[in-house]
Short mmCIF file of all heavy atoms in Angstrom, two decimals:
data_model
loop_
_atom_site.label_atom_id
_atom_site.label_comp_id
_atom_site.label_asym_id
_atom_site.label_seq_id
_atom_site.Cartn_x
_atom_site.Cartn_y
_atom_site.Cartn_z
N LYS D 1237 0.84 -1.20 0.00
CA LYS D 1237 -0.02 -0.01 0.00
C LYS D 1237 0.90 1.25 0.01
O LYS D 1237 2.05 1.22 0.37
CB LYS D 1237 -0.91 -0.01 1.20
CG LYS D 1237 -1.96 -1.12 1.18
CD LYS D 1237 -2.95 -0.91 2.30
CE LYS D 1237 -4.03 -1.98 2.28
NZ LYS D 1237 -5.07 -1.80 3.35
N GLU D 1238 0.25 2.34 -0.36
CA GLU D 1238 0.95 3.63 -0.32
C GLU D 1238 1.12 4.16 1.09
O GLU D 1238 0.29 3.79 1.96
CB GLU D 1238 0.24 4.67 -1.17
CG GLU D 1238 0.24 4.37 -2.65
CD GLU D 1238 -0.29 5.56 -3.44
OE1 GLU D 1238 -0.70 6.56 -2.86
OE2 GLU D 1238 -0.34 5.47 -4.68
N ARG D 1239 2.13 4.92 1.31
CA ARG D 1239 2.30 5.57 2.58
C ARG D 1239 1.12 6.56 2.80
O ARG D 1239 0.74 7.30 1.90
CB ARG D 1239 3.63 6.30 2.64
CG ARG D 1239 4.05 6.78 4.02
CD ARG D 1239 5.46 7.29 4.03
NE ARG D 1239 6.40 6.25 3.66
CZ ARG D 1239 7.73 6.38 3.75
NH1 ARG D 1239 8.24 7.51 4.23
NH2 ARG D 1239 8.53 5.41 3.42
N GLU D 1240 0.59 6.56 4.03
CA GLU D 1240 -0.52 7.42 4.34
C GLU D 1240 -0.26 8.18 5.61
O GLU D 1240 0.42 7.74 6.54
CB GLU D 1240 -1.80 6.60 4.49
CG GLU D 1240 -1.77 5.61 5.63
CD GLU D 1240 -3.15 4.90 5.82
OE1 GLU D 1240 -4.11 5.19 5.12
OE2 GLU D 1240 -3.20 4.02 6.73
N GLY D 1241 -0.89 9.38 5.70
CA GLY D 1241 -0.79 10.18 6.88
C GLY D 1241 -1.64 9.63 8.00
O GLY D 1241 -2.83 9.21 7.81
N VAL D 1242 -1.12 9.60 9.20
CA VAL D 1242 -1.86 9.11 10.36
C VAL D 1242 -2.28 10.25 11.29
O VAL D 1242 -3.44 10.38 11.67
CB VAL D 1242 -0.96 8.10 11.19
CG1 VAL D 1242 -1.68 7.69 12.47
CG2 VAL D 1242 -0.63 6.91 10.32
N SER D 1243 -1.30 11.10 11.65
CA SER D 1243 -1.59 12.20 12.55
C SER D 1243 -0.50 13.24 12.46
O SER D 1243 0.61 12.93 12.12
CB SER D 1243 -1.72 11.69 14.00
OG SER D 1243 -2.00 12.75 14.88
N CYS D 1244 -0.86 14.48 12.74
CA CYS D 1244 0.15 15.56 12.81
C CYS D 1244 -0.20 16.50 13.93
O CYS D 1244 -1.34 16.52 14.41
CB CYS D 1244 0.28 16.30 11.48
SG CYS D 1244 -1.19 17.23 10.97
N ILE D 1245 0.85 17.27 14.32
CA ILE D 1245 0.67 18.21 15.42
C ILE D 1245 1.39 19.50 15.06
O ILE D 1245 2.48 19.50 14.49
CB ILE D 1245 1.22 17.59 16.76
CG1 ILE D 1245 0.90 18.48 17.96
CG2 ILE D 1245 2.72 17.32 16.66
CD1 ILE D 1245 1.09 17.77 19.27
N SER D 1246 0.77 20.60 15.42
CA SER D 1246 1.29 21.94 15.04
C SER D 1246 2.53 22.29 15.89
O SER D 1246 2.79 21.61 16.87
CB SER D 1246 0.22 22.98 15.23
OG SER D 1246 -0.15 23.08 16.58
N VAL D 1247 3.17 23.33 15.49
CA VAL D 1247 4.33 23.83 16.25
C VAL D 1247 3.94 24.12 17.67
O VAL D 1247 4.62 23.80 18.63
CB VAL D 1247 4.93 25.08 15.57
CG1 VAL D 1247 5.97 25.72 16.48
CG2 VAL D 1247 5.55 24.72 14.20
N SER D 1248 2.80 24.76 17.82
CA SER D 1248 2.30 25.11 19.18
C SER D 1248 1.95 23.94 20.02
O SER D 1248 1.85 23.95 21.25
CB SER D 1248 1.11 26.07 19.08
OG SER D 1248 0.00 25.37 18.56
N GLY D 1249 1.63 22.81 19.36
CA GLY D 1249 1.08 21.61 20.03
C GLY D 1249 -0.40 21.67 20.27
O GLY D 1249 -0.99 20.67 20.68
N GLY D 1250 -0.99 22.82 19.96
CA GLY D 1250 -2.42 22.98 20.25
C GLY D 1250 -3.36 22.44 19.20
O GLY D 1250 -4.57 22.38 19.44
N VAL D 1251 -2.85 22.13 18.02
CA VAL D 1251 -3.68 21.61 16.96
C VAL D 1251 -3.14 20.19 16.56
O VAL D 1251 -1.94 20.05 16.32
CB VAL D 1251 -3.63 22.53 15.75
CG1 VAL D 1251 -4.36 21.91 14.54
CG2 VAL D 1251 -4.27 23.85 16.06
N GLN D 1252 -4.04 19.26 16.53
CA GLN D 1252 -3.73 17.89 16.09
C GLN D 1252 -4.74 17.43 15.07
O GLN D 1252 -5.94 17.72 15.20
CB GLN D 1252 -3.73 16.89 17.23
CG GLN D 1252 -2.84 17.24 18.43
CD GLN D 1252 -3.63 17.96 19.51
OE1 GLN D 1252 -4.78 17.59 19.82
NE2 GLN D 1252 -3.02 18.95 20.14
N ASN D 1253 -4.27 16.82 14.02
CA ASN D 1253 -5.11 16.25 13.00
C ASN D 1253 -4.90 14.76 12.93
O ASN D 1253 -3.80 14.29 13.15
CB ASN D 1253 -4.82 16.89 11.63
CG ASN D 1253 -5.19 18.35 11.56
OD1 ASN D 1253 -6.21 18.75 12.14
ND2 ASN D 1253 -4.39 19.15 10.89
N TYR D 1254 -6.00 14.06 12.63
CA TYR D 1254 -5.92 12.58 12.57
C TYR D 1254 -6.63 12.07 11.32
O TYR D 1254 -7.63 12.65 10.85
CB TYR D 1254 -6.63 11.99 13.78
CG TYR D 1254 -5.97 12.30 15.11
CD1 TYR D 1254 -6.42 13.42 15.85
CD2 TYR D 1254 -4.95 11.54 15.60
CE1 TYR D 1254 -5.82 13.73 17.03
CE2 TYR D 1254 -4.36 11.85 16.82
CZ TYR D 1254 -4.77 12.95 17.55
OH TYR D 1254 -4.18 13.26 18.73
N ALA D 1255 -6.10 10.99 10.77
CA ALA D 1255 -6.83 10.23 9.73
C ALA D 1255 -8.12 9.70 10.33
O ALA D 1255 -8.16 9.33 11.50
CB ALA D 1255 -5.95 9.16 9.19
N ASP D 1256 -9.16 9.64 9.55
CA ASP D 1256 -10.44 9.11 10.04
C ASP D 1256 -10.30 7.72 10.62
O ASP D 1256 -10.97 7.38 11.61
CB ASP D 1256 -11.46 9.10 8.92
CG ASP D 1256 -11.93 10.46 8.52
OD1 ASP D 1256 -11.70 11.44 9.30
OD2 ASP D 1256 -12.46 10.62 7.40
N SER D 1257 -9.40 6.91 10.06
CA SER D 1257 -9.29 5.54 10.49
C SER D 1257 -8.71 5.37 11.90
O SER D 1257 -8.82 4.30 12.51
CB SER D 1257 -8.39 4.74 9.51
OG SER D 1257 -7.10 5.35 9.43
N VAL D 1258 -8.08 6.45 12.43
CA VAL D 1258 -7.48 6.34 13.76
C VAL D 1258 -8.08 7.30 14.78
O VAL D 1258 -7.68 7.27 15.97
CB VAL D 1258 -5.94 6.57 13.71
CG1 VAL D 1258 -5.29 5.65 12.70
CG2 VAL D 1258 -5.62 8.03 13.41
N LYS D 1259 -9.01 8.10 14.35
CA LYS D 1259 -9.64 9.08 15.29
C LYS D 1259 -10.25 8.33 16.45
O LYS D 1259 -10.96 7.33 16.27
CB LYS D 1259 -10.70 9.88 14.56
CG LYS D 1259 -10.15 11.03 13.74
CD LYS D 1259 -11.24 11.82 13.06
CE LYS D 1259 -10.68 12.93 12.19
NZ LYS D 1259 -11.73 13.65 11.44
N GLY D 1260 -10.02 8.87 17.66
CA GLY D 1260 -10.57 8.25 18.88
C GLY D 1260 -9.74 7.15 19.39
O GLY D 1260 -10.00 6.67 20.55
N ARG D 1261 -8.75 6.66 18.67
CA ARG D 1261 -7.89 5.58 19.12
C ARG D 1261 -6.46 6.00 19.31
O ARG D 1261 -5.73 5.48 20.17
CB ARG D 1261 -7.93 4.42 18.14
CG ARG D 1261 -9.34 3.84 17.94
CD ARG D 1261 -9.28 2.56 17.08
NE ARG D 1261 -8.77 2.79 15.77
CZ ARG D 1261 -7.71 2.15 15.24
NH1 ARG D 1261 -7.02 1.30 16.01
NH2 ARG D 1261 -7.29 2.42 13.99
N PHE D 1262 -5.99 6.94 18.47
CA PHE D 1262 -4.61 7.37 18.50
C PHE D 1262 -4.54 8.78 19.07
O PHE D 1262 -5.43 9.60 18.81
CB PHE D 1262 -3.96 7.36 17.14
CG PHE D 1262 -3.73 6.01 16.53
CD1 PHE D 1262 -4.22 4.83 17.14
CD2 PHE D 1262 -2.99 5.86 15.41
CE1 PHE D 1262 -4.00 3.60 16.60
CE2 PHE D 1262 -2.76 4.63 14.81
CZ PHE D 1262 -3.23 3.49 15.44
N THR D 1263 -3.45 9.12 19.79
CA THR D 1263 -3.23 10.46 20.31
C THR D 1263 -1.78 10.85 20.02
O THR D 1263 -0.88 10.14 20.44
CB THR D 1263 -3.53 10.55 21.82
OG1 THR D 1263 -4.88 10.12 22.07
CG2 THR D 1263 -3.33 11.96 22.33
N ILE D 1264 -1.64 11.98 19.36
CA ILE D 1264 -0.27 12.49 19.11
C ILE D 1264 0.08 13.55 20.12
O ILE D 1264 -0.79 14.31 20.61
CB ILE D 1264 -0.19 13.07 17.67
CG1 ILE D 1264 1.25 13.37 17.28
CG2 ILE D 1264 -1.06 14.35 17.53
CD1 ILE D 1264 1.42 13.72 15.77
N SER D 1265 1.32 13.61 20.48
CA SER D 1265 1.80 14.67 21.45
C SER D 1265 3.24 14.94 21.17
O SER D 1265 3.96 14.15 20.48
CB SER D 1265 1.57 14.16 22.88
OG SER D 1265 2.33 13.04 23.17
N ARG D 1266 3.73 16.03 21.74
CA ARG D 1266 5.12 16.43 21.54
C ARG D 1266 5.64 17.01 22.84
O ARG D 1266 4.92 17.63 23.61
CB ARG D 1266 5.30 17.37 20.39
CG ARG D 1266 4.57 18.69 20.54
CD ARG D 1266 4.57 19.51 19.27
NE ARG D 1266 5.95 19.90 18.88
CZ ARG D 1266 6.27 20.34 17.64
NH1 ARG D 1266 5.34 20.45 16.74
NH2 ARG D 1266 7.51 20.68 17.37
N ASP D 1267 6.94 16.87 23.03
CA ASP D 1267 7.67 17.46 24.17
C ASP D 1267 8.86 18.17 23.60
O ASP D 1267 9.90 17.53 23.35
CB ASP D 1267 8.03 16.36 25.16
CG ASP D 1267 8.72 16.93 26.40
OD1 ASP D 1267 9.19 18.08 26.38
OD2 ASP D 1267 8.84 16.22 27.39
N ASN D 1268 8.73 19.43 23.36
CA ASN D 1268 9.79 20.18 22.72
C ASN D 1268 11.05 20.26 23.57
O ASN D 1268 12.15 20.23 23.04
CB ASN D 1268 9.34 21.60 22.37
CG ASN D 1268 8.32 21.60 21.24
OD1 ASN D 1268 8.22 20.64 20.48
ND2 ASN D 1268 7.55 22.68 21.15
#
């Protein structure tokens, strides 16, 4: 299969986006 996006997080950390297939199951976070 092709590579697909799962989740991303903004520079601020305040915005996260998720693929529909993982919403509610995956959580992205960052520790700068």
